[in-house]
Amino acid sequence: MEEQKATNVVWHELSVSQADREKLRGHKGVTLWFTGLSASGKSTLANAAASALHQRGVGTFVLDGDNIRQGLNKNLGFSPEDRVENIRRIGEVAKLFSTAGIVNLTAFISPYEADRNTARDQQPETFLLVYCKADIEVCESRDPKGMYKKARAGQIKDFTGVNAPYEEPSRPDLVVDTGKKTLEACVAEVISLVERRGFVKAAK
Ligand code: ADX
């Protein structure tokens, strides 16, 4: 965890509480943290699940690695230290969204178990880890951005799965077989998880 640099800062209680916001919306805020290799289907699944929930009147927001790395985290690369900071910041942003009463879906490789645990510790009651499990061969055959090809050719260093590690989650809340199952089946599993855990009411 980052050290606290600023001194003389005092926490302000907000006048509208998380419970107030959740009552207004009719559902709770939660982070669905998708982890998995590049091209395992994290963004696709997060977006499809967000669309399905949105259609039911649930407030959603997708935080996506490739997008966040062009804004908030544009000063970070892919060294182990930068990936740690990437995930720490996203964890804090995700927590803000949960506090705001939004179902937020994060799509980051987040290759390190310790960092995912940090993100969970930032909001233990409102954090669900979804492992998008797809073999590297499947991800590599998809290769939508041509990244694996470049990495194999030595043009990208520290590329997850090729020359940088991916640590499989030891205690995910859900494992989705995004390598073999259809998108619809994967979405249904994600929706079922948020319903089962009581964040969103089951569809009538
Ligand atoms: S994370 O490891 O820090 O969680 P993040 O999800 O933000 O990664 O970014 C991954 C995306 O950045 C990939 O989908 C890919 O398009 C791109 N990328 C560029 N270089 C790399 C690299 N060395 N390793 C992994 N992904 C990379």
Side-chain angles (χ1 to χ4, degrees):
M1 196 55 87
E2 284 286 289
E3 62 174 317
Q4 172 76 39
K5 274 194 184 164
T7 53
N8 301 314
V9 280
V10 179
W11 187 266
H12 272 274
E13 287 308 326
L14 307 179
S15 48
V16 178
S17 72
Q18 182 168 351
D20 293 334
R21 286 188 289 268
E22 291 178 344
K23 197 169 165 205
L24 185 76
R25 291 181 179 280
H27 62 81
K28 293 183 178 165
V30 64
T31 293
L32 284 163
W33 189 283
F34 294 79
T35 178
L37 292 168
S38 183
S40 59
K42 301 180 297 296
S43 297
T44 305
L45 179 53
N47 277 285
S51 295
L53 288 166
H54 180 85
Q55 278 169 24
R56 282 165 52 171
V58 174
T60 64
F61 197 80
V62 175
L63 294 160
D64 184 278
D66 283 285
N67 296 357
I68 298 283
R69 281 180 172 280
Q70 295 176 58
L72 176 66
N73 290 353
K74 71 198 291 185
N75 63 333
L76 299 177
F78 293 93
S79 67
E81 307 74 47
D82 280 9
R83 287 190 205 235
V84 171
E85 179 60 10
N86 185 39
I87 299 310
R88 187 193 71 82
R89 287 186 202 169
I90 299 312
E92 291 291 345
V93 173
K95 180 182 172 181
L96 290 175
F97 272 96
S98 296
T99 312
I102 304 284
V103 175
N104 55 103
L105 309 95
T106 72
F108 295 81
I109 297 175
S110 41
Y112 301 120
E113 174 95 347
D115 297 340
R116 294 187 298 258
N117 287 342
T118 301
R120 183 188 287 279
D121 290 345
Q122 285 164 331
Q123 46 164 338
E125 305 300 322
T126 48
F127 183 96
L128 298 173
L129 186 64
V130 181
Y131 176 27
C132 296
K133 193 168 164 52
D135 292 342
I136 180 110
E137 293 77 21
V138 172
C139 299
E140 204 158 346
S141 69
R142 291 176 176 164
D143 206 10
K145 301 170 235 164
M147 300 260 179
Y148 282 98
K149 199 163 173 235
K150 279 193 189 164
R152 292 282 179 207
Q155 291 162 10
I156 308 179
K157 65 172 195 141
D158 298 332
F159 195 81
T160 308
V162 175
N163 41 26
Y166 179 80
E167 297 172 3
E168 289 205 307
S170 61
R171 47 176 188 137
D173 294 279
L174 179 67
V175 181
V176 188
D177 187 353
T178 49
K180 297 205 187 90
K181 288 192 177 166
T182 64
L183 181 57
E184 292 66 32
C186 296
V187 168
E189 289 183 33
V190 171
I191 304 279
S192 162
L193 174 70
V194 280
E195 289 176 351
R196 263 196 332 270
R197 298 291 180 95
F199 293 102
V200 169
K201 284 191 209 90
K204 285 185 196 117

